[in-house]
Amino acid sequence: MKIIKTIEEMKSISRDIYFDKKTMGLVPTMGYLHEGHKSLIAKAKEDNDLVVVSIFVNPTQFAPEEDLENYPRDLQRDAKICEELKVDYIFHPKEGDMYRENFSTFVVPGENMTDIMCGVTRPAHFKGVCTVLTKIFNIVSPQKAYFGEKDIQQLAIVKRMVEDMNFDIDIVGCPIVREDDGLAKSSRNTYLDSSQRKAATILRKSILRAKEMIDSGEKDAIRVQASIIEMIEEEPLAKIDYIEILDFETFERLKIIQKRTLISMAVYIGKTRLIDNMVIDLND
Amino acid sequence: MKIIKTIEEMKSISRDIYFDKKTMGLVPTMGYLHEGHKSLIAKAKEDNDLVVVSIFVNPTQFAPEEDLENYPRDLQRDAKICEELKVDYIFHPKEGDMYRENFSTFVVPGENMTDIMCGVTRPAHFKGVCTVLTKIFNIVSPQKAYFGEKDIQQLAIVKRMVEDMNFDIDIVGCPIVREDDGLAKSSRNTYLDSSQRKAATILRKSILRAKEMIDSGEKDAIRVQASIIEMIEEEPLAKIDYIEILDFETFERLKIIQKRTLISMAVYIGKTRLIDNMVIDLND
């Protein structure tokens, strides 16, 4: 495995791989790899001749008051994980190379996809995500790129961007990886102390309760949402950011549970903001 | 020469050319080709194994009140010109294929580059230009793309976008092509009646007068600008949109003429908006 630190070297390697007609899978990350990332890498290894993991804590997707400085970083540990998973290249560019002097162009997703869920409190977040991914896609030229279904809004926005911009890249969504007690894996889980860690299970539990209600025949989205809110509000360490029940394709808010319904939430546990979701297919 | 009308066919041809390690030059146009375009195509033929001319009247760079519907179109005539110039492919996609249902992602250049000159009266214009070019670049994958220096602001914005987004494309600027009386060639010149056509020479004349002043030692940008304004205002059919005297690199407004000074203007002749510019290098 090789760690590539310059854009030029990465471009040159990508070109060679492309001319060799080998397939390349990209797993874009901000590092501090956990089981979620590992599952993306494993899927990428299955599907492609070569795998590139990009590790770049992207400043343009953080708001000024967000945790850019405190975002956990450990390249040595990440490199070890990638080595074990037989990743071929880590692309780890410098911030000053990715955002050079006079940088001013951004890729901006449509408001219809960003003015709900995580976009409400993080208005410029997905603009930063789309911008850095456009750059990384152009540098790495992968055939496929892998994203977790945990950030379901990001997955939908990236798919839309790739279609809109005519990138020749297949965006592959991978299932959420969970701890034994159901908490979705995340770098941010390291911020939680032990009582917070226990409280954090409320996200998954409230979604499972909602699924039970729907499985038992409940069709009223407002009643399902109310049950989730009630359950989370009973947890003193939890504070709801949003609970949404949406059409999975269009992100429109639902009154009636329908064929493909997305239950999506963000909840603060202490100061740590956690997200989780489930797509409920009534044909299941 | 072949006219390609679908994105998929163009992508497939581009891939084959890339694997053959042949170089491809792109001349992006909105059609109704004139001498200006011909000079870009000639330069592209010189530099590359193969040349693609894209012809697409891009709706996202027109404002609702602008002349999208009346923009001149004549594919048969354009095809004949391209044939004569030994163009290899015309890429002529359908509007509905370029902007499919639910299209919502845009590439947005920085305000510092768009809030002056043509951007003032056409605030979304360069957003449309950057968006469609990102799409065409991804579909055609050229090594080089050719732009006229007539739209000097577009050239600067596209160069910035290509650098910011890490496209592997060399943006080549080509000199303005003019009629015998100095009028810069443009598709819009066909809108002019004979008295307007005569009046339109005032753009070039006023720039040449400004150059004379500077050559004679004038350093005061305001005085140079005033001379241009005075000359154009004497022409009854002309109405100034803007006259700018700028630093060529940063687009900052100048008080003192300096090393590389950009004189740039947009002037209405009747209802037709014409642009022209000159970069004055004091080392000349």
Side-chain angles (χ1 to χ4, degrees):
Chain A
M1 192 197 65
K2 200 176 169 190
I3 301 177
I4 313 294
K5 297 198 174 184
T6 74
I7 291 171
E8 279 320 306
E9 192 185 358
M10 190 71 242
K11 274 193 176 179
S12 156
I13 289 171
S14 305
R15 254 193 307 265
D16 290 346
I17 292 170
Y18 194 78
F19 278 126
D20 281 352
K21 300 210 180 184
K22 287 187 177 157
T23 61
M24 180 151 61
L26 168 70
V27 181
T29 81
M30 300 211 298
Y32 217 74
L33 306 177
H34 54 66
E35 296 301 319
H37 298 113
K38 288 185 192 173
S39 77
L40 302 181
I41 295 170
K43 183 82 173 81
K45 283 296 293 179
E46 249 177 71
D47 293 354
N48 301 278
D49 298 324
L50 291 152
V51 171
V52 178
V53 174
S54 65
I55 297 180
F56 180 63
V57 180
N58 175 35
T60 64
Q61 70 194 67
F62 288 81
E65 76 283 5
E66 285 176 350
D67 51 6
L68 173 62
E69 292 308 314
N70 294 320
Y71 198 87
R73 292 162 171 90
D74 190 341
L75 181 64
Q76 219 181 332
R77 183 176 155 282
D78 289 342
K80 209 179 147 208
I81 291 171
C82 288
E83 186 93 55
E84 282 162 9
L85 295 172
K86 302 196 188 332
V87 166
D88 299 281
Y89 300 100
I90 290 177
F91 175 48
H92 182 59
K94 291 195 180 67
E95 192 178 311
D97 290 342
M98 288 291 274
Y99 295 104
R100 288 162 65 176
E101 208 191 338
N102 297 324
F103 181 97
S104 65
T105 314
F106 284 86
V107 180
V108 184
E111 282 178 16
N112 59 312
M113 304 201 74
T114 60
D115 67 1
I116 52 163
M117 290 196 274
C118 293
V120 176
T121 50
R122 311 183 77 189
H125 174 71
F126 292 110
K127 174 179 158 184
V129 170
C130 285
T131 301
V132 79
L133 285 175
T134 295
K135 292 170 67 62
I136 294 173
F137 288 170
N138 280 340
I139 295 163
V140 175
S141 309
Q143 275 82 40
K144 292 173 190 270
Y146 295 81
F147 292 85
E149 288 171 359
K150 180 160 153 276
D151 194 339
I152 195 86
Q153 188 174 14
Q154 171 177 277
L155 177 60
I157 287 171
V158 171
K159 278 188 174 178
R160 162 80 14 229
M161 175 188 84
V162 163
E163 184 182 325
D164 287 352
M165 296 296 106
N166 301 98
F167 276 109
D168 231 348
I169 301 174
D170 186 14
I171 300 299
V172 183
C174 301
I176 299 175
V177 181
R178 300 182 179 281
E179 305 288 350
D180 289 342
D181 61 5
L183 177 66
K185 301 239 180 185
S186 162
S187 301
R188 290 177 196 226
N189 294 351
T190 59
Y191 300 160
L192 303 171
D193 68 26
S194 66
S195 61
Q196 288 172 336
R197 174 63 189 76
K198 210 171 151 189
T201 58
I202 197 65
L203 283 84
R204 176 66 170 171
K205 281 179 193 155
S206 68
I207 291 177
L208 288 176
R209 152 99 69 92
K211 182 166 177 4
E212 268 173 37
M213 286 175 74
I214 294 167
D215 287 347
S216 309
E218 181 63 74
K219 294 277 182 200
D220 184 332
I222 308 299
R223 246 181 272 161
V224 173
Q225 191 185 33
S227 136
I228 295 173
I229 292 171
E230 187 187 30
M231 194 162 169
I232 295 176
E233 284 182 343
E234 278 169 18
E235 169 51 63
L237 299 179
K239 193 169 147 279
I240 291 170
D241 180 5
Y242 67 79
I243 311 290
E244 294 282 11
I245 299 187
L246 305 171
D247 178 306
F248 179 59
E249 307 299 334
T250 64
F251 284 4
E252 280 174 299
R253 290 195 175 104
L254 295 179
K255 285 181 180 164
I256 306 294
I257 302 293
Q258 60 183 44
K259 197 166 164 272
R260 300 207 78 192
T261 295
L262 169 64
I263 300 177
S264 178
M265 60 174 60
V267 175
Y268 283 94
I269 304 292
K271 285 183 177 172
T272 305
R273 187 172 169 285
L274 302 175
I275 56 175
D276 205 344
N277 73 78
M278 182 186 275
V279 178
I280 293 174
D281 197 327
L282 283 193
N283 297 333
D284 270 358
Chain B
M1 193 198 62
K2 199 175 170 192
I3 300 178
I4 314 294
K5 296 199 174 185
T6 74
I7 292 170
E8 279 320 306
E9 193 186 357
M10 190 70 242
K11 273 193 179 181
S12 155
I13 289 170
S14 305
R15 254 194 306 266
D16 290 346
I17 292 170
Y18 194 78
F19 278 127
D20 281 353
K21 301 209 181 185
K22 287 187 177 156
T23 61
M24 181 150 61
L26 168 70
V27 181
T29 81
M30 300 211 297
Y32 217 74
L33 305 177
H34 54 65
E35 297 301 318
H37 298 114
K38 288 185 192 174
S39 77
L40 301 181
I41 294 170
K43 182 81 171 84
K45 283 296 295 179
E46 250 177 69
D47 293 355
N48 302 277
D49 298 323
L50 291 152
V51 170
V52 179
V53 173
S54 65
I55 296 181
F56 180 62
V57 181
N58 174 36
T60 64
Q61 70 194 67
F62 288 80
E65 76 283 4
E66 285 177 352
D67 51 4
L68 173 62
E69 291 308 315
N70 293 320
Y71 198 86
R73 293 163 171 89
D74 189 343
L75 183 63
Q76 218 179 333
R77 184 177 155 280
D78 289 342
K80 208 178 147 208
I81 292 170
C82 287
E83 187 93 53
E84 282 164 8
L85 294 172
K86 302 195 188 329
V87 165
D88 299 281
Y89 300 99
I90 289 177
F91 175 48
H92 183 58
K94 290 194 180 66
E95 192 177 311
D97 289 342
M98 288 292 274
Y99 295 104
R100 287 162 65 177
E101 208 191 340
N102 298 323
F103 182 96
S104 66
T105 313
F106 284 86
V107 179
V108 184
E111 282 178 14
N112 59 312
M113 304 199 75
T114 60
D115 67 1
I116 52 163
M117 291 195 273
C118 293
V120 176
T121 49
R122 310 182 78 190
H125 173 71
F126 293 109
K127 173 178 158 184
V129 170
C130 286
T131 300
V132 79
L133 285 175
T134 295
K135 292 171 66 63
I136 295 173
F137 288 170
N138 281 339
I139 294 164
V140 176
S141 307
Q143 276 81 40
K144 292 174 191 270
Y146 296 80
F147 293 85
E149 288 172 358
K150 179 161 154 275
D151 195 339
I152 195 86
Q153 188 175 13
Q154 172 178 276
L155 177 61
I157 287 172
V158 171
K159 278 189 175 179
R160 162 79 16 229
M161 176 188 85
V162 163
E163 183 182 325
D164 286 352
M165 296 297 106
N166 301 100
F167 277 109
D168 231 349
I169 301 174
D170 185 13
I171 300 299
V172 182
C174 301
I176 298 175
V177 181
R178 299 181 179 281
E179 305 287 352
D180 288 341
D181 61 4
L183 178 65
K185 301 240 179 183
S186 163
S187 301
R188 290 176 197 226
N189 294 351
T190 59
Y191 300 160
L192 303 171
D193 67 26
S194 67
S195 61
Q196 288 172 334
R197 174 63 189 76
K198 210 172 153 191
T201 58
I202 196 65
L203 282 84
R204 176 64 169 171
K205 281 180 193 156
S206 68
I207 291 177
L208 289 176
R209 152 99 70 91
K211 182 165 177 0
E212 269 174 36
M213 285 176 75
I214 294 167
D215 286 347
S216 308
E218 181 63 73
K219 295 278 183 200
D220 184 330
I222 309 299
R223 246 179 274 161
V224 173
Q225 191 185 34
S227 136
I228 295 172
I229 292 171
E230 188 188 29
M231 195 161 168
I232 294 175
E233 284 182 344
E234 278 169 19
E235 169 52 63
L237 299 179
K239 195 171 147 275
I240 292 170
D241 181 4
Y242 67 79
I243 311 291
E244 295 281 9
I245 299 187
L246 306 170
D247 178 307
F248 179 59
E249 307 299 334
T250 63
F251 283 6
E252 280 173 301
R253 290 194 175 105
L254 294 179
K255 285 181 180 163
I256 307 293
I257 304 293
Q258 61 182 42
K259 197 166 163 272
R260 300 207 78 192
T261 295
L262 169 64
I263 300 178
S264 177
M265 60 174 61
V267 175
Y268 284 93
I269 303 292
K271 284 182 177 173
T272 306
R273 187 172 169 284
L274 302 175
I275 56 174
D276 203 344
N277 72 77
M278 183 186 275
V279 179
I280 292 174
D281 197 326
L282 283 193
N283 298 333
D284 269 359

